[in-house]
Amino acid sequence: MKTRFAPDRGLSSRMVITSFLLGLLYVAFVGVLIALTRSAVLAVVIAGGMLFVQYWFSDKIALYAMHGRIVTPEEAPELHGTIDRLCALADMPKPRVAIADVDLPNAFATGRNPNNAVVCVTTGIMRRLDQDELEGVLSHELSHVAHRDVAVMTIASFLGVLAGLITRFGLYGGLGRGNRDQNAALVMLTVIAVSVAVYAISFLLTRALSRYRELAADRAGAMLTGRPSTLASALTKISGDIARIPSRDLRQAQAFNAFFFAPAIAGGKSVSALFSTHPSLETRLERLGTLSRELGEQA
């Protein structure tokens, strides 16, 4: 699907490389499952079943976890109107529109492809941003859908989740039984070690891709509207307000950081760039300022 969002070859190449490396990890991990279950068929069924659920139902899972619900044009006419205009401007299918009734000011896009996507905004972000700022955020989220990086991130996050589950299963389930037999214990320890390694590698790969895709979405979204300054204003406002959200609420939302417009960071502490899902606010604002000058945007 070709849209009017600015293409990003850097993002495309990174998605291909990340997908390829994660595919290799996935093959290795199926081998771990075979060792754990001692059944190739069962291992493939488990891994394939979980991937199927993650891929086909990622939008429903995300909405449920964030207490979001699909809204009609009658329920949210201004929100639908803004997305209608942006989709017409970008020449792309309109995604479903959802609202999450939470105070955390944020937005995210999810779904396996542009024809089965959802863009969700929180009531917190709708209360805090003016119309132009919200349009900038929505354009950013729609660029994720158009570039298909939402689907790649959904699949990429699956492997880390599966590796974590297997690690916990090995630690709390099979390891105790394995102690009766030295060979079984060795196999279980190997499974746990490989699972931890797979989790760590997938963690770093998805975060590296996530940081770049946020910069790509900032640029593509701002170029579509022609107003980088409104997106910069939204970023500044949201980042400042997130710092005032109770830490308990932020911790509950941190699992979705890779999909959020801005990260939910509890306690106001900085996060190492290596482990962050997003570039720093300063970097994003600097890039948008440069783009604004390139476009000759009027203040």
Side-chain angles (χ1 to χ4, degrees):
M1 181 193 69
K2 188 174 182 180
T3 70
R4 294 195 181 100
F5 276 107
D8 192 307
R9 292 183 179 178
L11 176 62
S12 298
S13 62
R14 282 168 171 79
M15 288 195 296
V16 170
I17 293 171
T18 300
S19 298
F20 175 74
L21 293 176
L22 287 171
L24 291 180
L25 279 176
Y26 190 73
V27 171
F29 200 68
V30 169
V32 172
L33 283 177
I34 292 173
L36 181 62
T37 62
R38 298 183 180 180
S39 170
V41 174
L42 181 59
V44 171
V45 169
I46 292 173
M50 293 188 69
L51 180 59
F52 175 83
V53 171
Q54 180 83 355
Y55 181 70
W56 285 89
F57 300 103
S58 60
D59 53 342
K60 295 178 177 62
I61 294 170
L63 287 179
Y64 176 79
M66 283 301 297
H67 309 290
R69 66 181 183 89
I70 303 296
V71 294
T72 65
E74 291 73 26
E75 293 174 295
E78 291 186 6
L79 179 60
H80 269 272
T82 301
I83 293 178
D84 282 335
R85 290 193 299 274
L86 289 172
C87 288
L89 184 62
D91 191 22
M92 65 180 289
K94 180 183 177 182
R96 287 169 293 161
V97 180
I99 294 178
D101 188 16
V102 294
D103 190 47
L104 176 69
N106 234 313
F108 65 91
T110 184
R112 61 185 183 273
N113 58 48
N115 292 317
N116 294 276
V118 178
V119 171
C120 180
V121 298
T122 66
T123 51
I125 200 174
M126 294 175 69
R127 284 196 299 268
R128 289 170 171 86
L129 301 187
D130 64 31
Q131 182 61 33
D132 289 341
E133 291 168 338
L134 184 59
E135 183 180 79
V137 172
L138 291 171
S139 182
H140 169 107
E141 295 303 327
L142 288 172
S143 76
H144 282 314
V145 175
H147 288 152
R148 297 177 181 269
D149 56 81
V150 171
V152 173
M153 284 299 297
T154 297
I155 296 173
S157 64
F158 157 78
L159 189 57
V161 171
L162 185 57
L165 289 174
I166 295 299
T167 301
R168 285 195 291 272
F169 175 79
L171 287 173
Y172 301 117
L175 190 55
R177 293 189 298 271
N179 285 332
R180 301 173 190 171
D181 177 51
Q182 189 174 6
N183 291 332
L186 181 60
V187 169
M188 186 57 65
L189 286 172
T190 302
V191 167
I192 293 172
V194 173
S195 297
V196 170
V198 168
Y199 178 82
I201 295 171
S202 64
F203 180 92
L204 294 176
L205 285 173
T206 53
R207 271 150 182 76
L209 175 60
S210 179
R211 290 191 295 274
Y212 187 90
R213 84 183 192 111
E214 290 303 323
L215 292 174
D218 283 349
R219 180 175 180 83
M223 288 184 69
L224 183 71
T225 62
R227 292 178 295 180
S229 63
T230 60
L231 182 56
S233 176
L235 267 171
T236 303
K237 189 179 293 186
I238 290 171
S239 298
D241 285 349
I242 282 178
R244 292 188 283 272
I245 298 294
S247 295
R248 177 178 58 83
D249 296 338
L250 292 180
R251 283 193 294 270
Q252 291 176 350
Q254 280 181 340
F256 289 92
N257 269 351
F259 298 93
F260 278 151
F261 171 69
I265 302 176
K269 297 179 181 178
S270 61
V271 179
S272 168
L274 183 63
F275 301 111
S276 177
T277 56
H278 290 63
S280 67
L281 175 63
E282 292 74 15
T283 298
R284 296 176 76 177
L285 293 179
E286 181 182 352
R287 297 286 184 92
L288 287 171
T290 300
L291 179 59
S292 182
R293 291 189 293 273
E294 290 176 358
L295 296 177
E297 183 184 19
Q298 298 297 318

